């Protein structure tokens, strides 16, 4: 997900400015809409995690986002999108962005929760708390993959022939097609690869509850042993 995020973030201004022909003011409208995505996401995270399980809910939301992401680009290229620069265009695009961000927040929050479950699972097996190591490793991997995505964005821009584009008027239909043809398959492939890796996660609710029970029992036993040792002395 980090590589896809870095790729999408690096190409975002190119896409909204040259592909969809939005003005800076219109881009700002989408940014304001994104501010309202966390409340809905915070409502969905705990409920979907309980109803469907963290793993399945995270995979579903991330897959929904990956499926939703290319639709506006495909609609533009196939003629199903409103006139570029129109009010309908920015309204529909903003709706897509809002839903994508909600799905991303829900998926990311569930992944963080799954990482926390791994901490307990590891502690049960090793008798050591390693949350710092796990989250630091994930953060490093995320930054590395994000940088890789940014590097790929430069390649996409060059291959699509956008190095010399300085204005919207220079953006032809052929260049739009090349940009989408190179960008979208890479982006979506990275997203679905990440979802496939999430599928390898094996800690379900029963396993997590068993881990918590085992850790609680171990803590009680250790506390009792220490107390008895203190009485002996």
């Amino acid at each position: 997900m980090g590589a896809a995020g870095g790729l999408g973030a690096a190409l975002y201004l190119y896409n909204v400015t040259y592909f969809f022909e939005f003005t800076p003011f219109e881009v700002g409208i989408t940014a304001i809409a994104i501010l309202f995505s966390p409340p809905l996401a915070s409502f969905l995270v705990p409920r979907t995690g309980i109803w469907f399980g963290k793993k399945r809910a995270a995979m579903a939301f991330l897959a929904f986002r990956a499926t939703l992401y290319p639709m506006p680009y495909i609609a533009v290229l196939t003629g199903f999108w409103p006139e570029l620069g129109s009010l309908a265009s920015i309204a529909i695009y903003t709706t897509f962005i809002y839903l994508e961000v909600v799905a991303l927040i829900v998926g990311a929050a569930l992944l963080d929760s799954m990482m926390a479950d791994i901490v307990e699972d590891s502690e049960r097996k090793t008798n050591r708390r390693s949350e710092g190591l796990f989250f630091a490793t994930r953060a490093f991997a995320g930054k590395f993959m994000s940088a890789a995505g940014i590097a790929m964005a430069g390649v996409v821009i060059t291959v699509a022939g956008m190095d010399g584009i300085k204005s919207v008027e220079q953006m032809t239909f052929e260049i739009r097609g090349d940009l989408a043809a190179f960008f979208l398959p890479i982006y979506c492939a990275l997203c679905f690869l990440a979802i496939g890796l999430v599928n390898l996660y094996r800690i379900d609710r029963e396993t997590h509850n068993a881990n918590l029970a085992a850790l609680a029992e171990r803590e009680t036993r250790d506390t009792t042993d220490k107390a008895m040792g203190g009485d002996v002395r």
Side-chain angles (χ1 to χ4, degrees), residues 44-66:
L44 292 173
V45 169
R47 290 163 177 79
T48 54
I50 293 173
W51 293 339
F52 306 106
K54 296 176 185 178
K55 173 182 166 181
R56 283 188 293 177
M59 292 178 64
F61 275 99
L62 294 176
F64 171 72
R65 179 179 181 272

Side-chain angles (χ1 to χ4, degrees), residues 46-127:
R47 290 163 177 79
T48 54
I50 293 173
W51 293 339
F52 306 106
K54 296 176 185 178
K55 173 182 166 181
R56 283 188 293 177
M59 292 178 64
F61 275 99
L62 294 176
F64 171 72
R65 179 179 181 272
T67 303
L68 201 65
Y69 191 93
M71 289 184 180
Y73 298 86
I74 296 173
V76 169
L77 294 176
T78 55
F80 288 98
W81 193 260
E83 181 183 356
L84 295 178
S86 65
L87 179 61
S89 177
I90 186 62
I92 296 174
Y93 183 81
T94 300
T95 302
F96 270 93
I97 289 294
Y98 177 80
L99 294 175
E100 289 169 19
V101 173
V102 169
L104 177 61
I105 294 174
V106 174
L110 290 170
L111 289 179
D112 282 339
S113 181
M114 291 160 63
M115 179 66 75
D117 292 349
I118 294 175
V119 172
E120 273 86 21
D121 188 68
S122 173
E123 182 181 4
R124 181 181 181 183
K125 296 174 181 177
T126 65
N127 203 28

Side-chain angles (χ1 to χ4, degrees), residues 18 32 35 57 74-75 80 84 102 106 109 143 158 163 181 188 214 224-225 227:
Y18 298 115
I32 293 174
L35 295 176
I74 296 173
F80 288 98
L84 295 178
V102 169
V106 174
K143 292 180 183 298
T158 299
D163 284 332
C188 293
T224 302
D225 291 343

Side-chain angles (χ1 to χ4, degrees), residues 1-11 65 104 145-146 149-150 187 190-191:
M1 292 299 296
L7 176 62
L11 291 178
R65 179 179 181 272
L104 177 61
M145 295 308 296
S146 179
I150 294 173
Y187 184 91
L190 290 171
C191 288

